[in-house]
Amino acid sequence: MKEIDALLRDKVRMLGNALGHTIRNDLGETTLEQIETIRKQAKKARAGDAAERDKLLALLKGLSDDNLVPVVRGFNQFLNLANLAEQQHDISWRKESIDADQADTMFRDLIPRLAEAGISGTELTEKVASANVELVLTAHPTEVTRRTLIQKYDEVSHLLQARDDLRDEHPTLPAIEEKIARLIDEIWHTDEIRKVRPTAVDEAKWGFAVIENSLWYAIPAMLRSMNQDLISHDAPPLALDAVPIRFSSWMGGDRDGNPNVTSTVTEEVLYLARWMAADLYLRDIEVLGSQLSMYAATSEFKEKYPGHEPYRDCLHGLRTRLEQTREWAQANARGQHCEIEPLLDDEELIAPLQACYDSLVGCGMQSIADGELQDTLRRAACFGLPLVRLDVRQESTRHSAVLSELCEFYGWGNYLEWSEDKKQEFLLKELASQRPLIPEFWEPSEEVAEVLATTRVLAQPIGQGVTCYIISMASEPSDILSVALLLQASGVRHKLPVVPLFETLSDLEQSGPRMEKLWQVPWYRDYSGSRQQVMIGYSDSSKDAGQLAAVWAQYQAQETLSRVAREQGYTLRLFHGRGGTVGRGGGPAQRAILAQPPGSVSGGLRVTEQGEMIRFKFGLPEIAERNLKVYISAVLEANLLPPTAPNKEWRDTMSELASSGVTSYRAMVRENPDFVSYFRAATPEQELGKLSLGSRPARRRSGGGIETLRAIPWIFAWTQIRLMLPAWLGADTALSDQIDRGKLATLRTMYSEWPFFRTYIDMLEMVLSKADGEVAGYYEALLVEPDMQPLGHVLRERLKNVTARVLQVKEQSELLEDNHALQQSIQVRDPYTDPLHYLQAELLFRERQSADVISTEVEKALMVTMAGIAAGMRNTG
């Protein structure tokens, strides 16, 4: 196996030694030796010797309650530090190898390929500017690590980069390593588990922090880098107002199944975003005021600002308006009335900055104009005054409930019992009506009042910071028309896009015909301007039908929607609701985009970035810059160098795989009477609520089976025991059926020539490389009643089977043969994650067997194992 990069190994060793020093100083040599003994024994046990594994288990079982927390914290923190070292090393100019996907040079390498296809010069720059990528930051409860610790980890990363930048004998190196060691001390002495579940506003503030600390710097840096590449290939630079990529957020706007997101929360978050934007621009203005001390200016500029330092005079006026805007936003966020007139139009922000830029250029000071001032103009074009635009999401039945109560109040009948045609007729009539729909003295139910309170927030000037209204579980045109009516009735005068979300297998299959019906409604065509965004859900479709059937349904839905949109004269933009894990549509962005149906990203791309993946991909400016370029490059490649469409044989084979997969998946998950009981016994699903992961409840409603559980804890629980079931269940049977029928050659051809199928198999392989049937079996032996254990044996045999089938398709003898970096990463982590798994199973056993209240130490140790395993797996849900 290829050796790990020596410099990375050095970083991991240095961080590990610093952590060991901290543990020794805090808890003594004995505790440190105990942790080290367990680690060494776990490494021996990984070799597959049952006797060595028994020795490891004996060591772990022998831990007293007092020793539990120090041991699990030690392993947890090492895994976090290893992740940090890998992440920082990935962007280091001193690393010895380049990633397989060569993300650093992806855009640069794409330009010559586009030139060969006849796209160069001005056309190339125009294509880049119009890439139309939008990343939607969401705070689903997958971020295990506290924000306090994230900030300390970020500081360690910056110090590691400083350490890289200096030669080995540089005199300041010891001081840098001393600072790193001090930070690790701080990390060790900080509680890694939240005591209080974060609020929706807390989540939004975390999202703002990602922009403040990383994306604010990454955007202008990325555009500078792309301009250098364009200019070097004889293409003009991007215009100052070019925005190939934007950002939106669900934090504070996603109320689907989350009673903690109210109209008051949404309003507060919108004002806080304005406050944060004003504050960030004020910081930029402070820097510019220091820099732009020049006296020479164009006559037009001098006429408006006749002073000796005209640029500072111009910026002083803008600073005053931004200070007023910040004061206004702060007061309103607190619910206080404020008479100050704020900046609300982006042009009011951009115009004075652009005037400074044009005057500097006009006076021969282009290099000065292209410094910090250009960066601020780039930020203003990307973030504007809202900073990050908010999506509002609500479940369709909540809107039907409003109309039902209104119809009952007016005596118009039972809206819920009407046919679809009658609903549409009623909605269109009310949309055309000049009279108010909502009566002045009506007293609706609490839930209905909350929906209307939200739409009234959107009618305020602050509502301009909302980019769209998403309807989950949308099934008919009336679901979209009802939202349009409620927005209009609440005073929303701009045509806010209404976005249906298709999630379940049946919804995906019916998405094309349903949108076709909507697009044929003349009123809606006028309202939408023949432009439509449709959201494709990945999480619930996978939980509903299994990953294999879901990905094929998603692919076909995109094909159908794209075709119908073209036929109806609509410009379609697909919004992909992906999660961090493969079981929720996750995976490398470039591979995922290029695996989409040809033509399906022609209207641009909108995609969610969820939970801990935001931190991994955008937490540091250098990493964010690279990942943003990956998205833009992949969209350009998908549109301008599209992959070959699948032939009939491949499509037929994929349909057979999906059909077999969904049948097999549902037979286990829905029809096996022991499955739900096994799942709850073998995994820490019931205990996950103690982690205080996010503001949203883990269940849509109390009681019930798997269908009531959100996709995130569903996947989190299986990941904790290393069975990774949601990503592969059903695929085992489907692949076996095809191979047993003599179609292995077809599958290999599909893998070789069809990006969609290759991406699916590679993602499946990646998940399987993290699975471990032996670890899962240990949980079962401790936690599951004997009469249900045969089910676990079946699942582990199926795991072995799907692994063998994937290796057959890929013509490999072991997993990850062509991905040494991930293979090495997993093997480095195993000696640290294994003890956490075995300890977690033991702690779950103790907790469930105890008739009394378990000790605080056991409770905390259990929660830390969950966080540590999540760090070891590099994702949660």
Side-chain angles (χ1 to χ4, degrees), residues 30-50:
T30 302
T31 299
L32 179 61
E33 287 180 358
Q34 188 175 41
I35 293 171
E36 185 62 12
T37 299
I38 292 171
R39 184 191 69 80
K40 290 178 179 177
Q41 189 58 44
K43 196 169 184 178
K44 292 179 184 177
R46 257 287 143 184
D49 189 321

Side-chain angles (χ1 to χ4, degrees), residues 212-226:
E212 176 188 12
N213 298 323
S214 179
L215 294 174
W216 192 253
Y217 304 98
I219 282 293
M222 177 198 73
L223 293 170
R224 282 184 184 281
S225 172
M226 294 177 81

Side-chain angles (χ1 to χ4, degrees), residues 54 115 271 379 384 416 428 445 544 583 751 817:
D54 289 342
Y271 281 117
R379 290 168 182 141
L416 300 178
L428 291 169
S445 66
D544 171 45
Y751 177 80
E817 271 186 15

Side-chain angles (χ1 to χ4, degrees), residues 313-372:
D313 291 343
C314 174
L315 293 173
H316 178 74
L318 180 56
R319 178 192 292 114
T320 300
R321 295 297 311 281
L322 285 167
E323 287 172 345
Q324 292 171 340
T325 301
R326 184 172 62 179
E327 184 180 345
W328 164 83
Q330 184 175 47
N332 279 280
R334 293 172 175 170
Q336 301 167 353
H337 180 68
C338 186
E339 295 291 345
I340 295 173
E341 185 176 337
L343 286 172
L344 289 172
D345 186 343
D346 287 353
E347 185 55 31
E348 293 182 274
L349 168 68
I350 293 171
L353 296 169
Q354 186 67 52
C356 289
Y357 185 91
D358 293 341
S359 178
L360 288 167
V361 173
C363 292
M365 293 182 279
Q366 177 92 43
S367 64
I368 296 174
D370 286 341
E372 295 288 344

